[in-house]
Every structure is written in structure tokens, then in C-alpha cells.
Amino acid sequence: MKNCIIASTSTLPGGEYLEYLLPELSLHFQDCKKILFIPFSRPSGITHEEYTAKVALAFAKINKTVQGLHEYENPEEAIQKAEGIFTGGGNTFLLVTQLYKNKIMDVLAETVKAGTPYLGTSAGSNICGLTMQTTNDMPIVYPPSFQTLGLIPFNLNAHYLDPDDQSKHMGETRETRIKEFHAFNSLPVLGLREGSWLDVKGEKITLKGNLQARLFRQNQEAKELESGSDLSDLK
Amino acid sequence: MKNCIIASTSTLPGGEYLEYLLPELSLHFQDCKKILFIPFSRPSGITHEEYTAKVALAFAKINKTVQGLHEYENPEEAIQKAEGIFTGGGNTFLLVTQLYKNKIMDVLAETVKAGTPYLGTSAGSNICGLTMQTTNDMPIVYPPSFQTLGLIPFNLNAHYLDPDDQSKHMGETRETRIKEFHAFNSLPVLGLREGSWLDVKGEKITLKGNLQARLFRQNQEAKELESGSDLSDLK
């Protein structure tokens, strides 16, 4: 039975890394002593080692140890044997490229679908959708495919940002970008604001956190969803 | 001899489409009666026809007619025979995908290098760099390659946006994204603010408009460049 927390962001303004999620994570990973961390998305280009150390510091607060996937000779086996898995944020293009390069996209999907507790934040959440095509990230590397884990039957936009009425910037708003996606793709896209997450238990998908999320469907008006909404039938 | 205007944006706040550039364009396209418009990037998913009509309206003010590339049976020949070419903004992934699909990326580069006057705005400017890897756009379609026209020997970030100190949003700033690019790529990246453009005459590249531009180089501090700066040696 799938058991995932899929969060918009790792960090809230003024908070420490993962701090706002720690009470949830303590429950989510209650049967795990050690978390396997996938550091591939390297935010700001930090090394796998630095990133893993940062994550270990956060998980130490709930008495978990952390090991980076880059430390294993056989990443496929590391995933299959993991007690719990966390994929951190950073650049989604880089993350997806590395998952394909290490030939672990499929085994990661299968392992999480079989019930290994999973946490994603930001890029690590984007990959839980059917494709990475609603990421906000810059295409710094060329992935062999935009297909991702498909743990949920729709796409996510992490760090969803409302239009700023005061802004004089002429670049596209997030909503415009998602509309452009829907000119070519029919998948629903859920805009997850920072502080929201999806709780996935088997086929049940619930919106959590204090905020509303914004749902975009092809040829329909965007819609606000309340925290607690059941998204199990969204596809 | 190359003859290009490569602009960050088509439109300034409160202005009409292309309005701020019309005096320049009047000179730039002085020997052209008809402009070939490449509408492939489809901002907000508008049709090729709608987009071409919008562009025709703007160019009518300087007594030019406009024809969309989508109207031609043979797009390669249309490019080769064009008096002047304009590629408009929208989604860079879509634009690049369509240029490859229509097999015109190379002929467009050759034609512009041979001297056909070219205007790019936004996505139409991003493709003037060596790769599209510093676009801000969403990967709504999967292009066969990220390589672009290479009219200039570096990359651009159009609609360059300074960090907002007041923002509580935790998504990456533009500067952070470009730093992530430089963790894997050595090309310089020029952040062109809205209202700036590059004027390319042969091998001479000059920064124009009222604003500074922000230059990012691998392993170096970002640097502000004054309007009028000569970028001919940047690579």
C-alpha cells in the first residue's frame, strides 16, 4: 500500500529545513531507523555529500539516521532494501536525468508503490506526478524523458505562486504557464502552495496543511481546494 | 553580416505590444516591406493565426506587412526568401520543438548569419543563444534537443528578474537557477532585464536600452553591465 508525503517545499519562511513537517515525519517514518536520501537534484549546485549532511541534521531531530544514495555501489538494491526514502528538492531536470542515468526510475516507482514510506519535497514531489512537465525549474541538463514516477495520476506544480497584482514584470504568471501546458496536455495539474502537502495512503490522496491548493484542468476554470480535500478520484 | 535585435521582452508595463521598440524596428527593417513571423511559441496557447494578427497590428504602425510562417507550404524556402524575420515570445520548449519538427533550426541560423535582419523577443531571443537551457519556461513539450541558433556565443536569460527581498516565497531566485546551470555548464549567461536588448551587427554585440544587464559566468561573481557595453568578446 502506497504511503507517501508529497510536499510543496522543504522549508517555510523563518523555519529550519523540514521543521514544519517533522511531527508528520515522525509518524510517517515511525517504523524506520534509517532513511535513504536521494540527493541528485543538488539545490544551488551543492554536492551530494553536503546535501545529505543537511538532511541528516534535520532527521536527527526525530532520531533517524540518513544515508545518501550516492554512497551505495548498487543504487537499485539500496532502493529495494530501504526502510524509508526521501527525495529532496533542487533542480528537477537534474534529478530526473540522474534517476534515468542510474536506471532507477522504475525500481523507485515500484518500491514506493509496494509500500516503502516515501517523502518528496519540491523536485522530489514533482517526480511523483506522471511527468515533470509542470516543474518551475531551469532545463540545466537534458533528461532522456520527461516521464516520472506516476505515484499519483496527475501532475504537480510545487511552490505554486499566485499572481502578484503589484508586479510590473511581464514574464508569464504561473497560471499562464500551466494554461500553456494544457494547450498540449490533458493531465490535471495541482498547484501546491508552500506549506501544503499530499498525504497518499494506498489509493487515497488527501490535501494537508493549512492552505488551499489550486487545481487546473484542461478547458476548465481553475478551482481552489480546501485543506482536507479528497483527491483520490482526480485524474 | 549578422543584423539582429535580440530583446528581453515584447512589451513594457503600460505599453502596447512592441511599442517601445518601434523606432528601432523602423530602422532595423528599413529595407523590408514584409516581415516573416515565426508564431510557434504560442503565448498562453493562442493560435498561430491570432498571434500573427497581433504582430501584424504592431508592424502596421511602421508600414510593414506580416506573414506567418505557418501559412507557407515550404517553411525552409520561406525563411531563405524572407526580407526580415521576427520570432515572437511564448514557450521556448514549444518553439524549439517546432523548429526541429519543421527541420528549420539550421536554415534559420544560416539565413540570419548571412544577413537577413532578425528580431527576437523573449523565447525568440532565448533561441539566439547556444542553448535554450536558461529559459524560464515550463517544459510543456519535449524538444529533440536543447541546442539553439547560436547567433551569439553565449546564453540569454530573458525577462531577467532581480531577487525580491520582501518575498517570503521559498522557490529559487533567478540567480540561483543560473548558478545551478553553471554547476554543469560553462557558457556565460546574460540576464536581460525587460526593456534591454542586444544589437548585433556582424560580430559586434552591444547592450541597448536604458537598463543594466547582469552577466553570470561560471565560478565568478555576477556583474552588472552598463547600457552601451560591447559584448563582442564575451564567450
Side-chain angles (χ1 to χ4, degrees):
Chain A
M1 184 179 106
K2 270 185 283 190
N3 184 15
C4 312
I5 290 180
I6 300 173
S8 176
T9 185
S10 61
T11 314
L12 290 182
E16 299 278 318
Y17 185 71
L18 292 179
E19 188 179 0
Y20 80 102
L21 277 173
L22 285 179
E24 284 290 322
L25 297 183
S26 196
L27 285 169
H28 185 63
F29 289 123
Q30 61 186 337
D31 297 330
C32 316
K33 281 189 179 163
K34 185 162 142 183
I35 308 294
L36 177 67
F37 176 56
I38 302 181
F40 292 158
S41 71
R42 298 179 55 187
S44 304
I46 63 171
T47 64
H48 294 150
E49 289 74 14
E50 283 176 282
Y51 200 7
T52 304
K54 177 178 170 172
V55 169
L57 202 65
F59 273 98
K61 294 174 190 165
I62 54 168
N63 303 314
K64 312 287 177 197
T65 60
V66 170
Q67 193 154 3
L69 184 58
H70 63 288
E71 298 171 46
Y72 291 84
E73 289 265 320
N74 184 336
E76 184 171 341
E77 190 185 63
I79 287 169
Q80 286 166 328
K81 291 189 172 170
E83 298 170 44
I85 299 172
F86 170 36
T87 307
N91 186 288
T92 309
F93 289 85
L94 181 58
L95 172 59
V96 168
T97 301
Q98 288 296 315
L99 291 175
Y100 279 112
K101 206 168 161 183
N102 285 278
K103 299 191 176 69
I104 51 177
M105 185 67 88
D106 289 348
V107 71
L108 180 57
E110 286 157 18
T111 304
V112 177
K113 284 176 185 169
T116 303
Y118 179 88
L119 168 67
T121 60
S122 191
S125 293
N126 284 333
I127 61 168
C128 296
L130 289 166
T131 78
M132 56 163 284
Q133 289 178 262
T134 47
T135 177
N136 312 310
D137 295 338
M138 203 170 252
I140 61 173
V141 293
Y142 183 71
S145 166
F146 284 163
Q147 298 274 334
T148 48
L149 299 172
L151 303 177
I152 52 176
F154 50 89
N155 268 11
L156 291 176
N157 180 254
H159 300 284
Y160 180 75
L161 192 60
D162 292 293
D164 175 0
D165 295 337
Q166 303 302 308
S167 172
K168 291 191 167 176
H169 190 68
M170 301 301 286
E172 293 88 346
T173 65
R174 194 65 60 77
E175 182 151 345
T176 301
R177 292 169 196 277
I178 295 171
K179 271 188 193 154
E180 291 179 357
F181 172 79
H182 277 146
F184 299 92
N185 302 276
S186 60
L187 304 180
V189 178
L190 186 68
L192 268 186
R193 295 186 177 92
E194 295 177 339
S196 289
W197 68 92
L198 295 181
D199 182 79
V200 183
K201 294 276 178 293
E203 297 311 309
K204 191 168 163 70
I205 306 173
T206 312
L207 177 64
K208 296 278 185 109
N210 294 326
L211 305 170
Q212 295 176 316
R214 192 160 178 86
L215 175 62
F216 300 89
R217 308 195 73 154
Q218 197 179 33
N219 304 325
Q220 293 183 28
E221 288 289 302
K223 197 171 130 182
E224 291 291 323
L225 301 180
E226 298 300 322
S227 179
S229 292
D230 184 340
L231 301 172
S232 313
D233 293 329
L234 181 62
K235 61 187 170 192
Chain B
M1 183 177 108
K2 268 184 285 190
N3 184 15
C4 312
I5 291 181
I6 301 173
S8 176
T9 185
S10 60
T11 314
L12 290 182
E16 299 279 318
Y17 185 70
L18 291 179
E19 188 179 2
Y20 80 102
L21 277 173
L22 285 179
E24 284 289 323
L25 298 182
S26 196
L27 285 169
H28 185 62
F29 290 123
Q30 61 185 338
D31 297 330
C32 317
K33 282 188 179 164
K34 184 162 143 184
I35 308 294
L36 177 68
F37 176 57
I38 303 181
F40 292 159
S41 71
R42 299 179 55 187
S44 305
I46 64 170
T47 64
H48 294 151
E49 289 75 13
E50 283 177 282
Y51 200 7
T52 304
K54 176 177 170 171
V55 169
L57 202 65
F59 273 97
K61 295 175 190 165
I62 54 168
N63 303 314
K64 312 289 176 196
T65 59
V66 169
Q67 192 155 3
L69 184 59
H70 64 289
E71 297 171 47
Y72 290 86
E73 288 266 318
N74 183 335
E76 185 172 339
E77 193 185 58
I79 287 169
Q80 285 165 329
K81 291 191 172 169
E83 298 170 44
I85 299 172
F86 170 37
T87 309
N91 186 287
T92 309
F93 289 86
L94 181 57
L95 172 59
V96 168
T97 301
Q98 288 296 315
L99 291 175
Y100 279 112
K101 208 169 161 185
N102 286 277
K103 299 191 176 68
I104 51 175
M105 185 67 87
D106 289 347
V107 72
L108 180 57
E110 286 157 19
T111 304
V112 178
K113 284 176 185 169
T116 303
Y118 179 87
L119 167 67
T121 59
S122 192
S125 293
N126 284 333
I127 61 168
C128 296
L130 289 166
T131 79
M132 55 162 286
Q133 289 178 264
T134 47
T135 177
N136 312 311
D137 296 337
M138 204 169 250
I140 61 173
V141 293
Y142 183 71
S145 165
F146 284 162
Q147 298 274 332
T148 48
L149 299 172
L151 303 177
I152 51 175
F154 49 89
N155 268 11
L156 291 177
N157 180 256
H159 300 283
Y160 181 74
L161 192 60
D162 292 293
D164 175 0
D165 295 339
Q166 303 303 308
S167 171
K168 291 189 165 176
H169 190 68
M170 302 302 286
E172 293 87 348
T173 65
R174 195 67 59 78
E175 182 150 345
T176 302
R177 292 170 196 277
I178 296 171
K179 272 189 192 154
E180 290 178 357
F181 173 79
H182 276 146
F184 299 92
N185 302 275
S186 60
L187 303 180
V189 179
L190 186 68
L192 268 186
R193 295 185 177 92
E194 293 175 342
S196 290
W197 69 92
L198 295 181
D199 182 78
V200 183
K201 294 276 178 293
E203 296 312 309
K204 190 166 163 72
I205 307 172
T206 312
L207 177 63
K208 297 278 185 107
N210 295 325
L211 305 170
Q212 296 176 317
R214 194 162 176 84
L215 176 62
F216 300 89
R217 308 196 72 154
Q218 194 180 35
N219 304 323
Q220 294 183 26
E221 287 289 304
K223 198 171 127 182
E224 289 292 323
L225 302 180
E226 298 300 323
S227 180
S229 292
D230 183 342
L231 301 172
S232 313
D233 293 331
L234 182 61
K235 60 188 170 190

